[in-house]
Amino acid sequence: MAIKLNSGFEMPIIGLGVWRMDGKDIKNLLLNAIKIGYRHFDCAADYKNEAEVGEALAEAFSSGLVKREDLFITTKLWNSDHGHVVEACKDSLKKLQLDYLDLYLIHFPVATRHTGVGETGSALGEDGVLDIDTTISLETTWHDMEKLVSMGLVRSIGISNYDIFLTRDCLAYAKVKPAVNQIETHPYFQRESLVKFCQKHGVCVTAHTPLGGAVANTEWFGTVSCLDDPILKGLTEKYKKTAAQIVLRWGIQRNTVVIPKSSKLERLKENFEVFDFELNEEEMNIIKAMERDYRTNQPAKFWGINLYA
């Protein structure tokens, strides 16, 4: 099952995010994921494991497990490389051992002090606050992203963590329209207005943190996951599915791409088993009623500033 992007390419509606995946475990995880049926992998320079992902992909191709054209690979431009878009993309391609990317995203709508191509630390000032570069506009960065398409390095380009206003601006100045906006969205943080705005204007929404962060965000940010909400209990009993499977199915039926992250083989299988049932309208509304406007991914913890404020 896939969504056709405004670039003309198809993006599998479920993928595997590799955030916080340990480098030594990635090869087996990705190869097993491909065997399960995953064809979409979501990476980022900031995840600091592109090289390990590249090794896994190279083995998958050389062994004949899949062909390059069978997979949809996404990675992202980090904040400190906004003034070095082409170089950063080439660096990611080298690490991933690929000739092209299916999708390249601006990871966050903020340029920070350059620390070296591919060096993805969050540069802080003496005051402990993110050192934002005010000389590089998002429009400039976007036009540099467009160059990647004409160079044949990237098939589709997009944005990530953009709100309605920034997305609208991007649509206004873009010569190549953003194909995707990757945002945090889950039952506790549904962002209905932003999702509808993007979809109305032909921008596919990818849900990062589609399970509300689960263990990862509890550990890093002290947030709670929607998976423990008692509202889901009746649905899990009815469909004989896990809470995660119910929530992923809800995301898919919103016509959003979902990219759950898991380092456990059994969870990888479970997360992919969401195509053999369908929630009815009443059940979709039951989950809609779970909305808390509750963001679980809080980079402000590391940046000394809340960019969402």
Side-chain angles (χ1 to χ4, degrees):
M1 189 173 178
I3 289 181
K4 190 165 186 178
L5 304 178
N6 61 27
S7 57
F9 295 97
E10 290 195 339
M11 184 179 191
I13 203 162
I14 188 166
L16 176 62
V18 302
W19 180 57
R20 290 193 70 192
M21 277 196 184
D22 196 314
K24 62 182 174 58
D25 299 326
I26 281 179
K27 183 178 286 187
N28 283 336
L29 279 167
L30 263 61
L31 293 176
N32 279 316
I34 290 171
K35 291 173 184 175
I36 290 168
Y38 287 89
R39 294 295 181 266
H40 172 187
F41 296 96
D42 183 81
C43 314
D46 186 53
Y47 300 164
K48 299 177 176 62
N49 55 18
E50 284 179 316
E52 290 82 0
V53 172
E55 290 174 8
L57 294 176
E59 182 166 323
F61 301 147
S62 65
S63 67
L65 185 60
V66 285
K67 297 177 181 177
R68 169 64 185 97
E69 57 267 28
D70 296 331
L71 298 186
F72 190 101
I73 309 297
T74 300
T75 198
K76 308 178 190 78
L77 174 80
W78 186 239
N79 307 336
S80 55
D81 280 334
H82 276 227
H84 304 266
V85 174
V86 174
E87 302 97 311
C89 181
K90 287 182 175 179
D91 184 67
S92 287
L93 283 168
K94 183 178 179 180
K95 290 173 180 173
L96 291 166
Q97 301 186 44
L98 298 174
D99 295 324
Y100 69 91
L101 294 167
D102 295 280
L103 178 64
Y104 196 48
L105 303 176
I106 298 174
H107 203 148
F108 282 94
V110 62
T112 61
R113 174 164 49 89
H114 184 58
T115 54
V117 172
E119 298 295 325
T120 58
S122 294
L124 304 181
E126 292 181 359
D127 57 357
V129 174
L130 194 66
D131 197 352
I132 296 173
D133 187 337
T134 59
T135 68
I136 303 172
S137 70
L138 292 177
E139 181 174 357
T140 297
T141 299
W142 186 255
H143 292 320
D144 285 341
M145 295 281 286
E146 292 172 328
K147 293 175 186 176
L148 301 175
V149 179
S150 60
M151 293 171 70
L153 299 176
V154 175
R155 287 186 166 179
S156 303
I157 52 177
I159 53 183
S160 182
N161 300 301
Y162 274 50
D163 62 16
I164 286 179
F165 300 112
L166 292 176
T167 303
R168 188 215 69 87
D169 277 1
C170 189
L171 287 167
Y173 54 66
K175 296 173 183 175
V176 177
K177 301 295 184 184
V180 169
N181 186 8
Q182 184 178 128
I183 60 172
E184 176 179 349
T185 176
H186 48 77
Y188 278 178
F189 194 47
Q190 297 182 24
R191 312 181 82 180
E192 193 72 12
S193 295
L194 177 54
V195 170
K196 286 183 175 178
F197 176 84
C198 289
Q199 292 175 342
K200 179 179 179 179
H201 292 279
V203 179
C204 172
V205 173
T206 295
H208 76 66
T209 325
L211 301 176
V215 175
N217 284 3
T218 298
E219 289 177 353
W220 274 37
F221 308 117
T223 48
V224 299
S225 171
C226 62
L227 299 183
D228 298 321
D229 196 296
I231 288 178
L232 296 174
K233 190 172 187 296
L235 296 175
T236 61
E237 291 174 349
K238 174 182 175 180
Y239 289 104
K240 302 296 186 287
K241 294 287 186 179
T242 66
Q245 289 170 318
I246 297 293
V247 169
L248 291 174
R249 183 68 211 183
W250 172 81
I252 287 170
Q253 287 184 217
R254 295 176 85 203
N255 210 32
T256 62
V257 172
V258 292
I259 48 170
K261 175 260 178 185
S262 181
S263 299
K264 297 179 180 178
L265 182 57
E266 192 55 40
R267 289 279 173 79
L268 287 178
K269 293 177 180 176
E270 283 184 1
N271 289 346
F272 203 74
E273 294 171 351
V274 291
F275 299 107
D276 58 351
F277 73 106
E278 186 171 339
L279 302 171
N280 62 37
E281 184 177 356
E282 180 183 357
E283 291 162 345
M284 291 291 289
N285 287 332
I286 286 172
I287 297 176
K288 188 174 183 178
M290 290 172 59
E291 171 69 270
R292 292 189 181 184
D293 195 25
Y294 180 71
R295 185 188 299 275
T296 69
N297 190 300
Q298 297 282 6
K301 175 181 178 181
F302 307 107
W303 293 347
I305 184 174
N306 183 5
L307 296 181
Y308 303 119

